[in-house]
Amino acid sequence: MLDDRKLTILRAIVTDYVSMREPVGSRALVERYQLDVSPATVRNDMAVLEEEGYIMQPHTSAGRIPTDKGYRMFVDRLGTVKPLSGAERRAIETFMAGAVDIDEVVRRTVRLLAQITRQVAIVQYPILSSATIRHLEIVTLSPERGLLILVNSTGKVDQRPVDLGNAPDDTLADLRGRLNAALIGLAPSQVVEKAETLVAELPDDVRPLGAAVVSAILELVTADPSTRVVVGGVPNLTRFSDQYESTVRPVLEALEEQVVLLRLLGEVAGTGDVTVRIGHENPYAPLRSTSVVASGYGTEDDIWANLGVVGPTRMDYPSTMAAVRAVARYVGRFLAEG
Amino acid sequence: MLDDRKLTILRAIVTDYVSMREPVGSRALVERYQLDVSPATVRNDMAVLEEEGYIMQPHTSAGRIPTDKGYRMFVDRLGTVKPLSGAERRAIETFMAGAVDIDEVVRRTVRLLAQITRQVAIVQYPILSSATIRHLEIVTLSPERGLLILVNSTGKVDQRPVDLGNAPDDTLADLRGRLNAALIGLAPSQVVEKAETLVAELPDDVRPLGAAVVSAILELVTADPSTRVVVGGVPNLTRFSDQYESTVRPVLEALEEQVVLLRLLGEVAGTGDVTVRIGHENPYAPLRSTSVVASGYGTEDDIWANLGVVGPTRMDYPSTMAAVRAVARYVGRFLAEG
DNA sequence: ACTGGCACTCCACCACCGAGAGTGCCAACA
DNA sequence: TGTTGGCACTCTCGGTGGTGGAGTGCCAGT
C-alpha cells in the first residue's frame, strides 16, 4: 500500500512541518529533500497518504500537515534516533552532580529535562520499593506532641506528628526500643504484615500509645511518595500555539493537577523504555492536542517512577525521545548509586 | 490641585476599568456612577487628571485608563477595604484544616491564595528563627555513608548525608551522645558560636568524624529554609492580556526563577502588613507590567516569611489586598498553634 | 509509472469606507 | 468662576471587495 517513496515523503513532511511550522507543499518537498521526482508525482503520492489518513490539508490548496496517525507512523517506523549532542551529554552530567537529597535530585531533573527538550517537563518522585526500615525515632516536642521519624535504607527520612498523650518518658523509651528491634530491616510489606501482632504483644501500659504510633508508621510506610510530581519549563508553552486561550489554558490547568499528571504518566509510561502518546491517543481530554513522551526510570529490574515531557504534537520526536531516554537512564543510575 | 470630584472620578475610572477591562469615557462615567454633572465637566476634570499623570488614553479619542500613578493613588487614598465574603472565610478555614506537615501547609496555602484571588500566588517557606534543636541522630546507611538528622522544636526535620569513613559503631555512639548533650536546646545562632570549641574538646579519635558532622550541622542550621518558594495558580495568567508572547512569557519565566521570586517577595513585603507594588515600581524588570501584592506572615513579634500574588496592574486591589491579608494572618496563626 | 501543463480554489493581504465612540474646544449660561 | 450643550475632529473597529500567490487535482503525453 505504502511503498518506500510514499514513506519517504511522509517522513519529509513530518520533518519539514516540525522545523518550519508551516503546511508543506509538493514543490518545497522535492526542492528540500532531493526526491528525484517531479512535484506532480509527489502530489499523487500525497493524495494517497491523505486518503489513508496520514496527512491532511488545513484547507483546500494549502500544503499538507501530518495527522496524529502520520506522527504515529513516523515515530514507529520512520524516525531515526538522533543522538544527543556532546553539550547535552555534558549538561546532564554536570546538572545532577552535587544534588544532596531526593528533593533536589527531582528538582534538578525536571529543570534539566525542560532545558534540553525545550518542552514542559514532568518528574514523578521515585518509589523505592526495595527500601527497608533503617531507623525509627520518636522525638518529644511537648508532653502531648511528638514526632515519629522513619529512616529507610535509601536515606529517605519520613516524619509524622503523633499524639503522645502525656506518656511518661520511660514508656516512650520502652516503645521505641521494641519498635526498633521489631521493625528494622523490614520492607514496607513486611511491616504491614507484622503490625497487628506487634501491637498485640505490647505490655498493657504501652499498648495505647503503641497502637497510635504503629498506625502512624503504617501510614508512612504505605504512603506512596511517587504520588508527588514536579513540573518545570512551563514558559516553553509559549511555543505551543498562537491561540493562547483555547489551547494553552487547558494545558496549564492540567499541569496544576497533580492527580491528572500522575494518571497521565502512569498510563503513558510504566515501562523502562520511552513511550509516546500522540494527540488523541492521550487518556486525558484537555491534552488531546498535545503529545506526551515519557519513560520509567530506575534500575534494570525495578522501575521506580516515571518522567516525561508534554509538548505540541508538532514536536521533534527523535530528539525529544532521545533526551527523555538519556535523562531517565542517568537519573536511574544516579539514584541507584546513592 | 485635585478636588473631591476629581478624586471621585479617578476612583470611578479605576473601578470601571478593572471590572470592564475597557477604556472608560466620560459618558459611561456619569451614567454608571451618578456623578450629577455633565460629561463635559467630567472631560475637563479628566484632562487635568491626565495632565497630572494619573490617567492616559491608549490613543486619541479612546476612553481613559489609569496609569501606574493612578493605581497608586487609588490604593493609597481611594480604595475602600472590601471585606471577604463568608464563603471566602469558610474556604480559608476548611482549606487548611488537616494539613500535617509544613510542606502541605505551604502547598495548601498557595492553592488557597490562588483560588480566592484568582491570580498567581507565591508562598515562601517559613523560617522559624526561634526554633531550637530538639534531637540529633546519626543513622548508618552503610559503613561509609551515614545520615545526619536534626529535629527542631517546631517539629521540622532536616537531613544531610555525611561521610562516616568506616568509623566504628562505638565512636559513632560516643559522638552522638556528646553532640546531643551539647546542642539540644540551642538556637541556630548559639550552635554557630559553640561549634568550634565543641570540636576542639572532642577526644582525638572522635575528632575527624566529629568535625565532618559538625560542619554538616552548621550547614543545616544556617541553611535558610525560606529560600524556597512555591507557586500556584499559573493558569490565571490567562486573564493577563491578549498578547501572549510579549506579556505572559516573561512573567512565566520569572515565576520559574526561585531566586527572582525570593528577591521580589523580600523587597516588596517584609513587614506584617500588606504591601503593593504597581507596575514600574517593581524591582524586577520583566514584572514591570504586573502588580505584586504581598505580606509577611508569622506572629505579632516575629515575621517568618512572605506570601503574595502577582497579577496584572489592572487588578481588583481592594479584594486582592483583603484576601492576601486574611490568608497571611490565618497561616501565621495556624503555624503558631502547631 | 512518471511528468508537464493547465484550470481552479482558497487564503492572506491590502485598501477602502462608514459607523461609532470619544475627545477638545468654545460660546453661552447660572 | 464653574458648568453645560453643541460641534467639528480624530481614531479605531468591522466589513467589503479585489488581487496575488501558493498549492492542488486532473489529464494527456511520454
Side-chain angles (χ1 to χ4, degrees):
Chain A
M1 194 77 88
L2 294 185
D3 55 30
D4 269 6
R5 195 184 55 213
K6 293 195 182 59
L7 291 179
T8 306
I9 289 174
L10 178 54
R11 179 195 289 122
I13 291 175
V14 172
T15 314
D16 203 77
Y17 183 59
V18 164
S19 64
M20 298 294 158
R21 305 179 172 206
E22 264 173 17
V24 25
S26 52
R27 187 205 316 269
L29 228 37
V30 299
E31 277 171 9
R32 285 206 278 266
Y33 297 85
Q34 301 109 328
L35 294 182
D36 295 330
V37 287
S38 78
T41 311
V42 173
R43 280 205 289 281
N44 289 331
D45 286 353
M46 291 203 296
V48 176
L49 284 170
E50 178 156 15
E51 218 165 283
E52 303 283 331
Y54 294 103
I55 56 179
M56 59 167 290
Q57 297 178 286
H59 54 82
T60 340
S61 126
R64 305 306 218 287
I65 64 176
T67 60
D68 288 354
K69 186 177 174 188
Y71 285 121
R72 166 56 59 199
M73 171 69 92
F74 178 83
V75 167
D76 287 347
R77 303 195 29 209
L78 304 175
T80 53
V81 191
K82 192 186 287 180
L84 293 189
S85 72
E88 284 167 332
R89 304 208 150 279
R90 259 172 281 126
I92 296 183
E93 308 268 334
T94 58
F95 227 88
M96 304 298 295
V100 290
D101 60 3
I102 195 81
D103 280 311
E104 197 159 353
V105 170
V106 171
R107 278 203 303 271
R108 290 195 187 195
T109 304
V110 85
R111 239 190 134 102
L112 172 67
L113 199 52
Q115 197 165 306
I116 59 184
T117 63
R118 307 195 49 185
Q119 316 270 9
V120 179
I122 308 175
V123 177
Q124 186 178 8
Y125 269 70
I127 178 170
L128 307 170
S129 57
S130 61
T132 56
I133 292 183
R134 196 77 194 194
H135 185 82
L136 183 156
E137 189 67 43
I138 303 171
V139 178
T140 321
L141 295 177
S142 76
E144 321 238 319
R145 293 169 48 226
L147 201 61
L148 168 71
I149 298 177
L150 224 51
V151 183
N152 75 20
S153 55
T154 66
K156 192 158 83 65
V157 180
D158 287 319
Q159 53 180 301
R160 183 156 223 107
V162 285
D163 187 355
L164 298 181
N166 280 306
D169 277 357
D170 51 349
T171 306
L172 218 54
D174 181 24
L175 179 62
R176 173 180 3 202
R178 289 172 188 273
L179 289 176
N180 263 303
L183 299 178
I184 281 186
L186 297 193
S189 56
Q190 297 172 296
V191 175
V192 176
E193 279 172 33
K194 205 166 173 179
E196 206 169 327
T197 55
L198 183 63
V199 173
E201 285 167 7
L202 289 174
D204 285 352
D205 58 329
V206 186
R207 192 167 316 123
L209 177 59
V213 172
V214 167
S215 89
I217 294 176
L218 285 179
E219 278 182 53
L220 280 185
V221 144
T222 55
D224 190 347
S226 65
T227 53
R228 280 191 58 198
V229 289
V230 176
V231 175
V234 181
N236 293 330
L237 278 181
T238 309
R239 303 181 303 120
F240 238 66
S241 156
D242 33 0
Q243 332 163 20
Y244 181 49
E245 178 70 28
S246 59
T247 69
V248 175
R249 165 128 236 219
V251 179
L252 274 178
E253 274 169 1
L255 290 176
E256 283 229 333
E257 290 299 332
Q258 303 249 329
V259 193
V260 167
L261 295 181
L262 284 169
R263 244 192 53 205
L264 185 72
L265 280 182
E267 297 190 25
V268 172
T271 81
D273 202 8
V274 173
T275 313
V276 182
R277 282 286 131 81
I278 298 165
H280 70 273
E281 300 170 2
N282 268 303
Y284 183 60
L287 296 183
R288 289 279 155 77
S289 60
T290 72
S291 285
V292 179
V293 178
S295 167
Y297 67 94
T299 60
E300 268 152 39
D301 11 278
D302 204 4
I303 301 299
W304 299 331
N306 302 307
L307 55 76
V309 305
V310 176
T313 49
R314 173 229 289 148
M315 75 160 71
D316 180 349
Y317 291 95
S319 301
T320 307
M321 290 168 69
V324 169
R325 175 179 292 126
V327 171
R329 289 208 183 137
Y330 189 82
V331 175
R333 249 184 295 138
F334 187 86
L335 285 174
E337 286 168 12
Chain B
M1 194 76 90
L2 294 186
D3 55 30
D4 269 6
R5 195 183 56 213
K6 292 193 184 60
L7 291 179
T8 306
I9 289 175
L10 178 54
R11 179 194 287 121
I13 291 175
V14 172
T15 316
D16 203 77
Y17 182 59
V18 165
S19 65
M20 297 295 158
R21 307 182 171 201
E22 265 174 17
V24 26
S26 52
R27 187 206 317 270
L29 228 36
V30 300
E31 278 172 9
R32 285 205 278 267
Y33 297 84
Q34 301 108 328
L35 295 181
D36 295 331
V37 287
S38 78
T41 312
V42 173
R43 280 204 288 280
N44 289 331
D45 285 353
M46 292 204 296
V48 176
L49 284 169
E50 180 157 15
E51 219 165 282
E52 303 282 331
Y54 293 102
I55 56 180
M56 59 167 290
Q57 297 177 282
H59 53 82
T60 342
S61 125
R64 305 307 217 287
I65 63 177
T67 60
D68 289 354
K69 185 176 174 187
Y71 285 121
R72 167 55 59 198
M73 171 69 92
F74 178 83
V75 167
D76 287 346
R77 302 194 31 207
L78 304 175
T80 53
V81 190
K82 192 186 288 178
L84 293 190
S85 73
E88 285 167 331
R89 305 208 149 279
R90 259 171 282 127
I92 295 182
E93 308 268 334
T94 57
F95 227 87
M96 303 298 294
V100 290
D101 60 3
I102 196 80
D103 280 310
E104 196 159 354
V105 171
V106 171
R107 278 203 303 270
R108 290 196 187 194
T109 304
V110 85
R111 238 189 135 101
L112 171 67
L113 199 53
Q115 196 164 306
I116 59 186
T117 63
R118 306 197 50 184
Q119 317 269 10
V120 179
I122 308 176
V123 177
Q124 185 177 10
Y125 269 70
I127 179 169
L128 306 170
S129 58
S130 59
T132 57
I133 293 183
R134 196 78 194 194
H135 185 84
L136 182 157
E137 189 68 42
I138 303 171
V139 178
T140 321
L141 296 178
S142 76
E144 321 239 318
R145 292 170 49 226
L147 202 61
L148 168 71
I149 297 178
L150 224 51
V151 184
N152 75 20
S153 55
T154 65
K156 191 157 84 63
V157 179
D158 286 319
Q159 53 181 302
R160 185 157 221 105
V162 284
D163 187 356
L164 298 181
N166 282 305
D169 278 357
D170 52 348
T171 306
L172 219 54
D174 182 23
L175 179 62
R176 172 179 5 201
R178 287 170 188 272
L179 289 177
N180 262 303
L183 299 178
I184 280 186
L186 297 192
S189 58
Q190 297 172 296
V191 175
V192 176
E193 278 172 33
K194 206 166 174 179
E196 206 169 327
T197 56
L198 183 62
V199 174
E201 285 168 6
L202 289 175
D204 285 353
D205 56 331
V206 186
R207 191 165 320 121
L209 178 58
V213 172
V214 167
S215 90
I217 293 176
L218 285 179
E219 278 183 53
L220 280 185
V221 144
T222 55
D224 189 346
S226 66
T227 53
R228 280 191 57 197
V229 290
V230 176
V231 174
V234 181
N236 292 331
L237 277 181
T238 309
R239 303 179 305 119
F240 237 66
S241 157
D242 32 1
Q243 332 162 19
Y244 180 50
E245 178 69 28
S246 59
T247 69
V248 176
R249 166 128 234 218
V251 178
L252 274 178
E253 274 169 359
L255 290 176
E256 283 227 333
E257 290 298 332
Q258 302 249 331
V259 191
V260 167
L261 295 182
L262 284 168
R263 247 193 49 205
L264 185 72
L265 281 182
E267 297 190 24
V268 172
T271 81
D273 202 8
V274 174
T275 313
V276 182
R277 281 286 132 80
I278 298 165
H280 69 274
E281 300 170 2
N282 268 303
Y284 183 60
L287 297 183
R288 289 277 156 76
S289 60
T290 73
S291 285
V292 179
V293 178
S295 168
Y297 67 93
T299 61
E300 267 153 39
D301 9 280
D302 204 4
I303 301 299
W304 299 333
N306 302 307
L307 55 76
V309 305
V310 176
T313 50
R314 172 226 291 148
M315 74 160 70
D316 180 350
Y317 291 96
S319 302
T320 307
M321 290 168 68
V324 169
R325 175 178 292 126
V327 170
R329 288 207 184 136
Y330 189 81
V331 175
R333 248 184 295 138
F334 188 86
L335 285 175
E337 285 168 12

